[in-house]
Amino acid sequence: MSAGAIFWIVVYLISAVLFFVVAGIITFVGLIDLKFLTRGQKMQSSKNGNS
Amino acid sequence: MNFAVVDWVILFLYLAFSVFIGIRAKRYVEDMEAYFVAGRRVRVALGSATLIATEIGIVTFMYLGEIGYLTGFSCFILGIIGAVAFFIIGKTGFIVSRLRKLKVITIPEFYELRYGKGVRLLGAVILFMGGVLNMGVFLKFDGLFLGEVMGFGVSKSVLFVIMTVMLIIVISYTVLGGMFSVVITDFMQFVVLSFGMFITTFFILKNVSLFDVANAVLNYYGEEGINPVLNPRFGWEFLLWMLIASVTTSGLWQPVTSKSLSSKDEIVGRKIFTYTGLTLAGRYMMPMFWGVCALSVFGPGVNSQIAMPKLIAQVVPTGFLGLLVAGMLAASMSTYSAYLLAWSSVATRDIIQLLFKKELGERSSINMTRVVAVLIGLYLLFFGLFYEIPTTAFQYIAVTGAMYTSGAFGCVAGGLYWKRANSTGAYVALIAGAIGPLAFLVLSLFKDFIPKSLYFLLDVNLSGFLSFILASIGMVVGSILTGGINPPKEVNFEK
């Protein structure tokens, strides 16, 4: 196997692992953000309804 | 057919759930800002998930897989270039921070603020044309992927049915819920598509050895499969063009920029780019690697567009295929919804409203956007079925994107960072940026009738690269020459 091929395979493996690790973190924190977004908008809607 | 009952059940449940969630988001749409930019309340993780999901679709897997199959490892450099571009934007806030501060909804709105109504109209027309031409091939590639993986084949009638069903599903929730639907469904789709990518990578690595893959690249392509500068499909012009295009596209491509414009503030907008940058190399290289694996399994004689899905159909077992297709459909639906919303909002707010010369009310503006989204959907169906692209899908998408981004780069970067930029420079930049890619697309249709001396115009890499240079020169020369008679408008970014 040539050095160039080994280099790209290592780069590929690191990038793939990084993708899944960041995706995992984003999924977890994103759920909290989603609650913030929908709850905030609900409050906004009810405020507008009351005024 | 490769699909078993369990695969169909998974797929059906997923699609039904997606549409249900997307349509439910309609109750959050109170006003125009809620419809177009989700009330500007999106935080970092959610913004990153939705941006990643938007920029991954079946078409992305297809063109990245195709280029991996055709060029070996040398295409992996594109993943690194993409990641570097997102980091640059994330760290510097180049373009996106100032646009977010101005609270515009679409980029042509900035043209009016900085240059005037005429520039806004021309910029919007070019953006809309480049955008819908760019999106025109998405549905077809989705149909090719799904037809091959599910085992239906890729005949025109099969493509028509798959494409129509996908369109109906996406249009139904995008049209009703706007950016709220896009953000909420994107998040769900991000989770499902990450899982689908994991399954695919797992089964491919289980069936194909890394040693065989490396040998296949060296046997079939030699040094060209390892070194992107030596590869005849790339070369230094292409790589330089990609680096410039990646930095500019990331900040200027309406579906991407709209995510930063929807963010809570400009710091969140920048962080979204940095976190997305961390995943970018992986999201490019994984499908490219699947394409390289297809080269190792089938050799170089297979249709490059369907080699990668053919491999997936072969290595992913029944039961997992349903999950995989759900993941891939998730990827595509999130892309369509964001793109449909982006182009229909540009058409409504920046073209139709300007041509009719009267302010549309909030309700009419939202309803008009819905009608345009449906019309774009119909165009996608027929364009996808009947148009044959003249180059690889990757390069077609890059050159149609350049039609808008090269001129927009001159106008937006000049307008934001150069006080002397004026409307003449903006007109010249927009026209000069669109000419190269447009010439390539039109001349490709008549290539048998073109004299040999004009063959250089059929070089996709050259036309894309030149468009950026011409647009930048156009902005500088046009502004300097006419600065005396056409003084620049001033915009206060710090208010």
Side-chain angles (χ1 to χ4, degrees), chain B residues 265-288:
Chain B
D265 54 46
E266 55 111 0
I267 297 170
V268 170
R270 279 167 58 174
K271 281 188 182 163
I272 289 174
F273 275 88
T274 309
Y275 285 100
T276 307
L278 286 174
T279 63
L280 213 93
R283 80 112 163 136
Y284 266 71
M285 285 184 207
M286 272 188 269
M288 284 170 173

Side-chain angles (χ1 to χ4, degrees), chain B residues 362-372:
Chain B
E362 292 209 350
R363 260 309 113 199
S364 319
S365 181
I366 292 174
N367 287 336
M368 180 67 79
T369 306
R370 289 172 170 153
V371 172
V372 176

